[in-house]
Amino acid sequence: MQRDSLVVGRVVGDVVDPFTRIVPLRVIYNSREVTNGCLMKPSAVAEQPRVEIGGTDLRTLYTLIMVDPDAPSPSEPTLREYLHWLVTDIPATTDATSGQEIVCYESPRPQLGIHRYVFVLFQQISQQMIYAPGWRQNFNTRDFAELYNLGLPVVIVYFNCQRESGTGGRRI
């Protein structure tokens, strides 16, 4: 029996409730596609990724949220969840850049421990206008989805990231 990587990685539980994957989602940094639980270096994720959303009906719109549930550190995530990116009104079968960027992409810069960076995709049920929250820290994906009547996610993908070695260190 194969265990779900979103459950093993505690994405389901920490960020969202159990859901059923309905739509294909590809997140690609440069030429490397994100797979659940893969390790990416901060330098590799500095620029906004290409996000390809599957589906068949261009009239179907999606909302993409990227959060860090481990900010500022996995052992004390007092800023959970930190909002890194929010894009709405993304048509199916397109890239996220076809949507409306509500909160601009902020590249991951983990300082302590291994952080999870989670891309959550919701299907927009209504044509309701979605507004940017007034903050990035202590964002709550569940509350946001409830506020805008988004329901459960249709797909999630996440990667792990930690500070690159060789920076800083002790000076004598």
Side-chain angles (χ1 to χ4, degrees):
M1 185 170 98
Q2 183 179 355
R3 302 222 22 221
D4 185 340
S5 58
L6 296 172
V7 173
V8 173
R10 295 185 341 271
V11 171
V12 170
D14 286 352
V15 180
V16 297
D17 295 322
F19 70 99
T20 301
R21 180 187 164 136
I22 300 171
V23 176
L25 176 69
R26 296 180 70 210
V27 177
I28 302 150
Y29 284 97
N30 298 314
S31 60
R32 183 167 176 209
E33 185 171 352
V34 172
T35 57
N36 285 333
C38 71
L39 186 61
M40 304 283 281
K41 293 182 178 182
S43 59
V45 296
E47 300 297 319
Q48 176 179 308
R50 190 171 81 245
V51 178
E52 299 172 355
I53 297 169
T56 56
D57 187 351
L58 283 169
R59 293 171 298 180
T60 303
L61 299 176
Y62 295 93
T63 293
L64 178 72
I65 297 171
M66 178 186 176
V67 293
D68 173 2
D70 300 314
S73 76
S75 58
E76 290 189 42
T78 56
L79 303 179
R80 172 182 291 171
E81 302 157 24
Y82 189 89
L83 179 63
H84 278 268
W85 199 22
L86 173 58
V87 184
T88 65
D89 302 322
I90 308 165
T93 74
T94 65
D95 184 283
T97 57
S98 302
Q100 179 70 38
E101 189 174 61
I102 304 297
V103 175
C104 65
Y105 181 80
E106 184 177 312
S107 61
R109 292 186 298 274
Q111 295 301 307
L112 294 170
I114 298 172
H115 290 237
R116 297 164 293 166
Y117 291 89
V118 183
F119 293 89
V120 184
L121 189 71
F122 293 96
Q123 182 175 332
Q124 293 173 211
I125 308 301
S126 67
Q127 297 294 66
Q128 179 179 6
M129 186 74 148
I130 295 176
Y131 297 96
W135 58 89
R136 286 183 185 254
Q137 59 194 29
N138 299 118
F139 179 83
N140 187 299
T141 300
R142 286 181 182 98
D143 290 351
F144 184 83
E146 185 176 331
L147 177 66
Y148 289 106
N149 198 27
L150 295 172
L152 290 173
V154 292
V155 64
I156 293 177
V157 67
Y158 83 101
F159 66 89
N160 293 314
C161 188
Q162 64 184 336
R163 184 176 176 179
E164 292 183 55
S165 59
T167 58
R170 194 168 160 195
R171 306 252 191 274
I172 297 178

